[in-house]
């Protein structure tokens, strides 16, 4: 016997769309953490971004970029490494289509960063993930990426 309204296949029951939580996996991982939930907040920041090897995946499976600038909402200074496990999304400020990361890697650019801040509820430590970079293509790169200097010899004697 089918009870109207109880079976989703009967015409009397309305089908309700279930909203999906994109962060459900993080909440599930954090369930053992005394019921606390990680904080995930979107942010927007402006400054310079060093895209040295951004087209390569590092040993942690991330694309990384060095950012120095300010948070557009709070005005606080930001200087950190930002990562993403997603496919790179990089735009030029005047270009409608995404840019191939190989064209901009190895250079420093003025940029606007759209990302997400993940705050661990136990340690209150923040991790910054970038979702999209918008580079000032019109202004061009500021410089080549900053490479570590070789100090295998005394720099004062190298003249």
């Amino acid at each position: 016997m089918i009870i109207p309204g109880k079976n989703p296949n009967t015409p009397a029951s309305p089908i309700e769309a279930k909203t999906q939580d994109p962060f459900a996996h993080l909440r599930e991982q954090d369930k053992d953490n005394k019921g606390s939930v990680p904080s995930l907040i979107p942010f927007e920041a402006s400054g310079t971004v060093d895209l040295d090897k951004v087209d390569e995946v590092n040993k942690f499976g991330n694309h990384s970029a060095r950012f120095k600038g300010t948070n557009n909402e709070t005005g606080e200074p930001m200087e950190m490494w930002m990562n993403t496990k997603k496919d790179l999304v990089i735009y030029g400020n005047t270009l409608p289509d995404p840019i191939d990361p190989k064209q901009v890697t190895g250079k420093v650019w003025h940029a606007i960063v759209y990302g997400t801040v993940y705050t661990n509820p136990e340690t209150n430590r923040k991790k910054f993930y970038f979702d999209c970079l918008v580079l000032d293509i019109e202004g061009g790169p500021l410089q080549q990426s900053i490479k570590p200097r070789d100090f295998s010899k005394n720099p004062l004697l190298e003249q």
Side-chain angles (χ1 to χ4, degrees):
M1 181 170 121
I2 298 175
I3 301 171
K6 298 292 182 184
N7 186 338
N9 297 323
T10 62
S13 68
I15 298 175
E16 296 180 22
K18 294 182 179 177
T19 58
Q20 291 188 349
D21 182 5
F23 302 116
H25 66 284
L26 289 172
R27 288 187 176 86
E28 186 65 32
Q29 290 173 357
D30 205 41
K31 190 185 285 185
D32 298 331
N33 190 8
K34 302 175 188 77
S36 60
V37 177
S39 170
L40 295 155
I41 301 170
F43 75 93
E44 181 181 326
S46 300
T48 58
V49 65
D50 185 346
L51 299 181
D52 182 39
K53 299 182 184 177
V54 74
D55 59 333
E56 299 175 16
V57 176
N58 64 19
K59 65 181 178 181
F60 303 107
N62 295 322
H63 295 279
S64 296
R66 181 87 177 145
F67 177 77
K68 183 177 183 178
T70 56
N71 187 317
N72 289 355
E73 290 181 21
T74 63
E76 66 182 293
M78 300 172 69
E79 185 172 354
M80 71 212 51
W81 283 97
M82 293 182 182
N83 300 303
T84 187
K85 287 192 180 286
K86 301 176 184 179
D87 291 336
L88 289 176
V89 180
I90 301 174
Y91 288 97
N93 56 343
T94 58
L95 304 174
D97 297 321
I99 298 171
D100 180 16
K102 291 181 179 167
Q103 293 178 343
V104 295
T105 191
K107 297 180 178 118
V108 179
W109 300 85
H110 282 295
I112 297 174
V113 177
Y114 297 92
T116 306
V117 180
Y118 170 84
T119 304
N120 185 323
E122 254 186 25
T123 62
N124 213 22
R125 184 173 180 216
K126 294 181 180 184
K127 292 183 182 177
F128 292 83
Y129 296 96
F130 67 90
D131 301 322
C132 176
L133 300 174
V134 180
L135 306 178
D136 181 15
I137 294 294
E138 293 292 317
L142 299 176
Q143 63 189 24
Q144 291 295 325
S145 181
I146 301 167
K147 305 282 185 202
R149 296 188 299 172
D150 178 23
F151 288 112
S152 59
K153 296 181 182 172
N154 187 338
L156 298 176
L157 300 178
E158 293 286 316
Q159 301 271 342

